[in-house]
Amino acid sequence: MPATISLEQEKNPWLAAETRFDNAARKLNLDDGMRKVLKSPAREITVSIPVQLDDGRLEVFTGYRVQHSIARGPGKGGIRYAPDVSLDEVRALASWMTWKCAVVNIPFGGAKGGVICDPKLMSNGELERLTRRYTAGIIEMIGPERDIPAPDMNTDDRVMAWIMDTYAMHVGHATTAVVTGKPMELGGSRGRKEATGRGCMIVTLEALKRFGLKPEETKVVIQGFGNVGGMAARLMAKRGFRIISIVEYNGAVYNANGLDIEALMRHRNETGTILGFAGGEDIDRREAMFLRCDVLVPAATENVITSENAAKLNCTILCEGANGPTTAIADEILADKGIFVIPDILANAGGVTVSYFEWVQDRQGFFWNEDLVNSRLEEIMVGSFDAVASYGSNHKVDNRTAAYMVALDRVASAMRLRGLYA
Ligand code: NAD
């Protein structure tokens, strides 16, 4: 990526995905033909979604589903509802899912979906009608053997239940394995809600071993106190980590001795904000990101670490809970600073791993207890961390490049073995 591009270009998700891909493909000596195949999304669909609004008007929304790769198994990836969804973004996210599933070696390809809408301005009924019509529009593409959607930004277990029901009405029988992230009553898996945060903690524990650090002496800053960040904070605090700051969109809280995370969660639930918490002091959210700490977990949103601020980071380990929190240019700055990066496609893969467990359980009609889910998750995350970190040290590349190389190699091997159907 040229160093002269604007900050806006630097934040383009497709460009970021392409830069990481090219870097790994070059180091793997992948031939041009395979590069072309691996880069091109296998299938894309754009659908117009007419929805009757509550006031009687008819509105038409636009939705996408992209299957980037189905070489190693059915497509897998979330569906997001947001006003700024674009085909470029959905494509980039779908390719990320391909590499993420490959890096943890679960038998899925990569896919993603999105609808351009503002769910905050829509009623429950409007959202349900939108979801059902979108599902009908992409129905040829999805299915337990084809492509399995999941929640993403602004979609949740309730939306998954509507998708499952719409699909079931079309095929004529209940098909729980068509989506993951479902309510427990409809075939959801135990441990799914905590899975991404738990995965972040597991890989952080593995990284700490490399620095001879114990959780009790490890200071952590977490950005985002939602599903990923909140769960990571809760589980890490239970494990003895000192969470010195939680950063949210409107400010941060700080306590040098470690925040009481359960009390902070209660405070946030009661007041609607983490600010004003008696067990810590409010600080500026920008300042909090640059506090001296052992582990920084960006778990909020993309592009928060850029060429403009990467030099100011003051952590030893960066565990990327969010998708794409670091731009490709910032990667180079982090490498110069010697920060040990656990890249997103590995660090936050706990979620898709337990989604895979959900799909397996649904297909078997046989459900596991939480201990079994957690121990299988740990086995996969530890194994994947080791595979990436040792690949990186053996080939003298940073962890992100190593993760992409491991993933690209697995997908390319699957494609070579399948051969070209012509
Ligand atoms: P979420 O909506 O539950 O939580 C996000 C939190 O971040 C919210 O509390 C929000 O207020 C806060 N936030 C938003 N913008 C912020 C900003 N600029 N600064 C500080 N805080 C900010 O979302 P989530 O499910 O926790 O997902 C977070 C990230 O992790 C996303 O990038 C998502 O794609 C990724 N991810 C999520 C999962 C999952 O299982 N939920 C799995 C893999 C990756």
Side-chain angles (χ1 to χ4, degrees):
M1 185 184 271
T4 48
I5 63 170
S6 67
L7 189 60
E8 198 186 329
Q9 283 171 313
E10 181 185 337
K11 291 181 171 179
N12 180 312
W14 182 242
L15 204 61
E18 219 172 25
T19 306
R20 272 75 182 249
F21 174 92
D22 288 340
N23 197 14
R26 198 173 45 249
K27 293 212 157 70
L28 278 172
N29 282 324
L30 276 189
D31 63 79
D32 278 353
M34 184 55 85
R35 283 190 206 196
K36 269 190 214 156
V37 176
L38 288 179
K39 254 189 189 179
S40 320
R43 249 181 235 156
E44 299 181 346
I45 185 172
T46 301
V47 288
S48 291
I49 312 164
V51 176
Q52 183 98 53
L53 301 180
D54 291 346
D55 64 8
R57 277 182 305 128
L58 195 62
E59 188 56 84
V60 180
F61 297 87
T62 302
Y64 308 105
R65 185 74 187 168
V66 175
Q67 289 171 356
H68 171 258
S69 170
I70 43 173
R72 300 178 67 254
K76 184 85 194 89
I79 291 171
R80 62 173 53 176
Y81 288 173
D84 56 356
V85 162
S86 70
L87 188 53
D88 247 9
E89 179 190 57
V90 177
R91 268 188 199 131
L93 293 168
S95 74
W96 262 323
M97 288 305 297
T98 303
W99 315 131
K100 195 182 291 189
C101 292
V103 91
V104 287
N105 212 1
I106 56 178
F108 287 142
K112 203 82 184 188
V115 178
I116 306 171
C117 64
D118 190 348
K120 287 191 192 78
L121 304 178
M122 296 173 73
S123 71
N124 207 39
E126 287 169 343
L127 277 175
E128 178 171 353
R129 293 193 288 280
L130 171 94
T131 301
R132 289 184 180 279
R133 185 65 191 230
Y134 169 63
T135 307
I138 63 168
I139 207 140
E140 304 300 332
M141 261 176 115
I142 62 171
E145 310 284 352
R146 293 170 177 228
D147 179 356
I148 306 122
D152 194 71
M153 208 182 276
N154 297 324
T155 57
D156 54 14
D157 55 355
R158 179 187 55 152
V159 173
M160 294 306 114
W162 292 330
I163 296 177
M164 196 283 262
D165 182 69
T166 308
Y167 183 85
M169 289 298 107
H170 278 254
V171 297
H173 52 86
T175 314
T176 52
V178 65
V179 283
T180 60
K182 298 180 295 294
M184 285 297 294
E185 296 84 342
L186 287 174
S189 176
R190 291 189 172 78
R192 175 62 188 91
K193 275 202 161 63
E194 301 80 16
T196 310
R198 185 178 292 282
C200 289
M201 178 183 71
I202 295 169
V203 290
T204 300
L205 283 166
E206 290 307 299
L208 289 189
K209 290 183 192 160
R210 297 181 172 241
F211 291 90
L213 279 168
K214 294 194 174 60
E216 304 73 42
E217 54 201 31
T218 302
K219 286 188 258 174
V220 185
V221 173
I222 300 182
Q223 184 196 40
F225 203 42
N227 180 279
V228 181
M231 287 303 168
R234 168 177 267 169
L235 294 167
M236 284 174 139
K238 263 195 201 146
R239 196 64 171 249
F241 286 82
R242 239 192 308 157
I243 317 289
I244 59 165
S245 185
I246 296 285
V247 192
E248 262 291 332
Y249 67 95
N250 57 347
V253 281
Y254 172 73
N255 183 331
N257 298 317
L259 294 158
D260 177 342
I261 297 298
E262 295 303 323
L264 181 61
M265 280 191 168
R266 282 195 299 276
H267 170 82
R268 199 261 314 262
N269 291 345
E270 282 157 18
T271 65
T273 171
I274 58 166
L275 303 180
F277 175 54
E281 56 178 298
D282 293 351
I283 61 170
D284 186 276
R285 68 188 173 95
R286 283 172 295 266
E287 185 192 329
M289 291 291 285
F290 310 125
L291 286 169
R292 170 67 210 138
C293 61
D294 301 293
V295 182
L296 173 65
V297 187
T301 181
E302 65 274 359
N303 294 324
V304 291
I305 301 169
T306 66
S307 56
E308 287 197 328
N309 64 13
K312 291 197 244 166
L313 254 54
N314 208 351
C315 59
T316 309
I317 297 166
L318 180 72
C319 175
E320 296 184 335
N323 282 319
T326 309
T327 66
I329 295 183
D331 274 348
E332 296 163 24
I333 301 170
L334 301 185
D336 288 344
K337 286 174 71 81
I339 292 176
F340 186 92
V341 177
I342 315 177
D344 49 7
I345 58 170
L346 170 64
N348 69 36
V352 75
T353 302
V354 175
S355 277
Y356 162 55
F357 296 163
E358 180 175 334
W359 176 78
V360 169
Q361 293 170 80
D362 288 339
R363 282 157 56 100
Q364 290 182 331
F366 181 65
F367 290 86
W368 311 347
N369 63 36
E370 198 162 342
D371 285 347
L372 187 58
V373 171
N374 291 343
S375 65
R376 286 188 163 150
L377 172 63
E378 183 159 359
E379 196 181 322
I380 289 186
M381 295 304 294
V382 170
S384 307
F385 177 91
D386 284 345
V388 167
S390 39
Y391 194 98
S393 40
N394 291 343
H395 293 80
K396 307 215 172 342
V397 292
D398 60 70
N399 290 336
R400 189 183 317 277
T401 307
Y404 273 82
M405 288 172 78
V406 168
L408 258 69
D409 199 31
R410 286 186 178 145
V411 181
S413 297
M415 298 193 79
R416 283 192 204 101
L417 286 166
R418 286 176 65 150
L420 207 57
Y421 175 72

